[in-house]
Amino acid sequence: MTQARGAPMWAFAALAALLACVAMTPAAAHPTHYPRASNASCFEPEPAEILSYHVHLLYWGANNNSVAGAMAIREQFIDHFNLRNEKPCHGLFHQGRMCMEEIDSVPAGPFVTAEWSAFFLPENITQIYPWAIQHRGEYDILIHPNSGCEIEDHTIWAGWLGKPWDIDTSAFSANARAARPGPTTADAAAPRSRSRPPR
């Protein structure tokens, strides 16, 4: 790296480190990206189309018993849905098939704990949902749509089996919605009028 006149070398190193962090940030947030125009509404004239889903099983990554139980359920999921010989999901974009995501053994946005997840298509919801209800054991599961409205997908349009966990909506990309700040899980659970979408 050449040094510009008058700029100390540490400034270039700091800038390079900052750019590297910024470039890696979208990869840490898990949602499947369906880009939306910055002025696109998630509600009007109709709610955004659901293009796919994720199922997430949350567990305590520092607790060996919690990890072992979560991984046992993951193995059951893989076997039940015949994913043993399937390639894992690749990247954060539409997969076109059911597949397993990489395991997040430490918190990774938007999740505040460890989790494993799978990507699936709308036609799989009638198989995934009943299986998750009956096989989750003591674990909490989030099933959410992927529409491009990342905040709504993970909060007001999401369904929990078990206890809802907090979701860090700051992890979502800027194209999720510029119109209003995102609710937390607690905000999404609060009663509200059904006559209008939340503002």
Side-chain angles (χ1 to χ4, degrees):
M1 181 180 303
T2 44
Q3 184 174 354
R5 182 178 288 166
M9 189 54 134
W10 65 265
F12 288 105
L15 178 60
L18 176 63
L19 291 175
C21 289
V22 169
M24 291 170 47
T25 299
H30 99 97
T32 299
H33 290 286
Y34 294 107
R36 298 183 61 76
S38 61
N39 63 348
S41 170
C42 292
F43 298 97
E44 296 173 5
E46 292 292 323
E49 179 184 5
I50 294 172
L51 302 168
S52 65
Y53 289 89
H54 283 149
V55 57
H56 299 268
L57 184 139
L58 285 68
Y59 61 95
W60 296 111
N63 179 307
N64 291 338
N65 292 332
S66 181
V67 172
M71 293 305 111
I73 295 170
R74 184 177 190 272
E75 291 301 309
Q76 292 170 17
F77 183 94
I78 289 169
D79 288 338
H80 184 81
F81 292 104
N82 298 314
L83 299 173
R84 180 78 47 209
N85 297 318
E86 295 292 322
K87 291 181 182 177
C89 299
H90 180 71
L92 297 175
F93 294 92
H94 189 77
Q95 305 296 314
R97 63 189 170 81
M98 188 185 306
C99 56
M100 299 303 295
E101 301 277 357
E102 289 184 26
I103 297 169
D104 287 324
S105 56
V106 296
F111 297 101
V112 297
T113 191
E115 58 91 24
W116 65 257
S117 61
F119 174 96
F120 63 98
L121 299 170
E123 57 264 27
N124 302 126
I125 190 78
T126 57
Q127 293 102 30
I128 300 287
Y129 194 79
W131 190 93
I133 289 171
Q134 295 180 325
H135 293 85
R136 71 178 186 85
E138 64 185 27
Y139 295 90
D140 304 309
I141 289 181
L142 172 67
I143 298 177
H144 70 81
N146 296 310
S147 69
C149 298
E150 295 168 339
I151 293 172
E152 288 80 3
D153 288 344
H154 289 79
T155 57
I156 62 175
W157 295 343
W160 285 94
L161 303 174
K163 175 185 69 98
W165 290 61
D166 286 335
I167 297 293
D168 178 8
T169 59
S170 70
F172 298 124
S173 65
N175 72 357
R177 184 191 353 80
R180 63 182 170 87
T184 64
T185 302
D187 293 336
R192 61 181 76 193
S193 167
R194 295 286 179 197
S195 61
R196 294 182 54 141
R199 296 269 180 227

